[in-house]
Amino acid sequence: MSKYVRDTVTFRHGAKIDSRIVMPPMLTFSGSEGGFATEDTIRYYSARSKAASLLITEFHYVTPTGGPCSVPGYPEQLSIQDDQHLDSIKAIATALKQDGNKAILQIHHGGREAMGRAAKGKEVLAPSALDFSFLSYPVREMTNEEIEGIIQDFGKATKRAIDAGFDGVEIHGANHYLIQQFFSATSNIRTDKWGGSLEKRMTFALEVVKEVKRVIAEHAPKDFIIGYRISPEEIHGSVVGYTYKESMQLIAEIAKYELDYISLSIWGGYDASPKGVDKSFGQLFKEVVGEETKIIVVGSVFNEADAQDAVEHHTDLIAVGRGTLIDPLFGQKIKDGQGDTIVSEISPEQVEKTSWTAGLNEVFTRADSLGLPPLPGHDSILHLHKGLFSETAAIGSGSATSGSD
């Protein structure tokens, strides 16, 4: 059966969205000390309430040891670590849902990538106490009690997302953060139940999924959405944390918990594929999860034609990151039959219409875009850089956008 970008999509637990367009999680560089949303945060999310039919927040760390993972010197990553953050996330949920689209909160622990935590002189936790050459700070191996506690914290964060009015949660198992660190053979060399064999390296991810599902079953509406985000492979030259074949085995186990969707954090475009393989990542993972669990991919979509090609050939839902940064009405224009009016290149004039946070303004007007994929038209806005934050800031091994394409 043919798929069209303007189709209504029904998730396995009953939630419906009125197109196949998704706004993926992207760090807004807007939080205050402690990870609270600011007026800048809410203004940004309010402007994107029509960006897509499924709107996913930036990553929120679930416990004090989980973050911030934002670049020191810039506004902080947001948090959902305790009930004091409820008003913060309620405001985001309200902003995103004001036009009837579904809002998803991404829940996360940074593990070794908590560079903002390190900058505050606090210890950084990881599955194993390895000397990572790309980090400027040491990490400590987590105890069994700490691991069990963090699993519970993912559940508590899910309960807060339910109470705040979100339509679902996405478990962040990608981009070199804690869940991926446990799954990776290069960052997890434990010999207890949390590491060693491939099956043991799956344990942490599966326990998080199990706990989140338990909380949803107990407290959420029947149609509450649960998703899981994964980087399909971890290969850096000759260093292999895991292959796509191994991550497909993990997803096959996760799929048994009847998730609504699996989101693939990939680089190289929505049609990217493993080296030497004819099928795309989206096609491969769809074969694993079956029809009821949807696949989301992200990657270099800036217009309706590419979005249609993605859903027709590679995925159930297409996540548009930089496209919605440039044009906050990306999804609405497609739904209105006005896809030809989408603005696909940034310019000084379009910056005025983006409602970017001050942090995003600074990031995307830097010559290096702080290590992020540059926006089309990037050179035209370099003169708008103000130097408000740390000019020596640089990104570690993780993704500063928590999933931007």
Side-chain angles (χ1 to χ4, degrees):
M1 183 174 68
S2 297
K3 293 180 291 186
Y4 299 95
V5 72
R6 281 182 264 181
D7 288 342
T8 295
V9 177
T10 302
F11 291 103
R12 70 183 306 149
H13 295 110
K16 292 185 179 183
I17 55 176
D18 59 1
S19 82
R20 296 181 183 271
I21 303 295
V22 177
M23 184 181 79
M26 296 178 287
L27 178 59
T28 61
F29 297 93
S30 67
S32 63
E33 179 75 20
F36 294 90
T38 62
E39 290 184 7
D40 219 12
T41 310
I42 304 307
R43 183 174 62 88
Y44 170 87
Y45 280 121
S46 292
R48 279 160 181 78
S49 63
K50 297 181 180 180
S53 296
L54 191 71
L55 303 158
I56 308 173
T57 71
E58 63 197 274
F59 54 175
H60 284 62
Y61 57 97
V62 301
T63 191
T65 60
C69 295
S70 42
V71 179
Y74 277 73
E76 287 194 3
Q77 173 195 1
L78 301 180
S79 177
I80 189 176
Q81 62 184 287
D82 55 39
D83 288 346
Q84 294 180 32
H85 290 77
L86 264 174
D87 287 344
S88 174
I89 63 170
K90 282 180 180 178
I92 295 173
T94 299
L96 287 174
K97 293 177 62 165
Q98 62 184 316
D99 290 295
N101 293 313
K102 299 293 186 184
I104 307 294
L105 184 81
Q106 191 188 59
I107 51 179
H108 155 272
H109 191 294
R112 71 169 191 236
E113 299 296 324
M115 64 182 79
R117 180 175 171 82
K120 296 178 181 182
K122 298 179 180 180
E123 66 178 359
V124 176
L125 306 184
S128 301
L130 300 172
D131 182 14
F132 296 102
S133 61
F134 47 81
L135 297 182
S136 60
Y137 49 84
V139 300
R140 176 174 68 76
E141 181 172 297
M142 300 165 64
T143 67
N144 183 72
E145 290 73 23
E146 286 169 331
I147 295 171
E148 296 282 3
I150 288 170
I151 292 168
Q152 296 299 312
D153 288 332
F154 271 95
K156 293 174 184 176
T158 300
K159 176 61 163 57
R160 293 184 191 109
I162 295 167
D163 291 343
F166 278 93
D167 300 297
V169 294
E170 178 178 286
I171 300 167
H172 195 351
N175 300 97
H176 296 98
Y177 296 121
L178 184 64
I179 296 178
Q180 180 172 331
Q181 290 162 34
F182 267 100
F183 186 54
S184 168
T186 61
S187 56
N188 181 359
I189 59 170
R190 301 177 73 101
T191 57
D192 57 7
K193 69 176 184 178
W194 304 106
S197 65
L198 175 62
E199 289 72 22
K200 288 184 176 180
R201 287 187 281 115
M202 292 182 185
T203 305
F204 183 72
L206 294 173
E207 288 298 312
V208 169
V209 171
K210 181 179 178 180
E211 174 63 10
V212 169
K213 282 283 293 186
R214 183 193 68 78
V215 172
I216 290 172
E218 186 174 341
H219 298 287
K222 182 180 179 181
D223 63 352
F224 194 80
I225 299 167
I226 177 172
Y228 185 96
R229 188 172 181 86
I230 189 170
S231 296
E233 57 186 8
E234 182 185 299
I235 301 175
H236 302 287
S238 61
V239 180
V240 180
Y242 58 86
T243 66
Y244 79 94
K245 292 182 179 179
E246 291 172 320
S247 66
M248 286 172 67
Q249 292 181 62
L250 171 60
I251 292 304
E253 293 301 313
I254 288 175
K256 293 177 182 178
Y257 289 90
E258 299 184 340
L259 272 65
D260 290 281
Y261 70 82
I262 300 295
S263 178
L264 306 182
S265 181
I266 56 178
W267 297 86
Y270 60 82
D271 57 352
S273 60
K275 186 176 180 180
V277 179
D278 291 335
K279 293 181 179 180
S280 67
F281 285 111
Q283 292 167 339
L284 289 166
F285 278 78
K286 186 61 181 176
E287 293 176 357
V288 171
V289 302
E291 186 55 39
E292 287 194 90
T293 298
K294 305 305 180 187
I295 291 292
I296 301 175
V297 299
V298 62
S300 302
V301 168
F302 295 96
N303 56 59
E304 183 176 3
D306 287 343
Q308 175 58 35
D309 184 65
V311 301
E312 191 171 343
H313 299 293
H314 300 282
T315 187
D316 296 307
L317 303 163
I318 181 66
V320 181
R322 287 175 293 166
T324 55
L325 281 169
I326 294 169
D327 192 339
L329 296 176
F330 187 100
Q332 188 63 46
K333 287 180 176 180
I334 289 176
K335 287 192 283 187
D336 290 343
Q338 299 176 356
D340 59 340
T341 67
I342 290 172
V343 180
S344 57
E345 186 170 305
I346 199 61
S347 65
E349 295 74 27
Q350 187 62 18
V351 167
E352 297 298 318
K353 302 175 184 178
T354 61
S355 295
W356 284 351
T357 65
L360 283 172
N361 267 291
E362 288 297 277
V363 167
F364 285 114
T365 56
R366 283 175 61 129
D368 64 356
S369 295
L370 203 55
L372 303 177
L375 302 174
H378 170 246
D379 290 349
S380 74
I381 62 172
L382 294 180
H383 68 283
L384 299 177
H385 191 71
K386 299 177 181 178
L388 298 178
F389 308 115
S390 173
E391 292 306 291
T392 60
I395 296 177
S397 67
S399 167
T401 57
S402 177
S404 175
D405 63 312

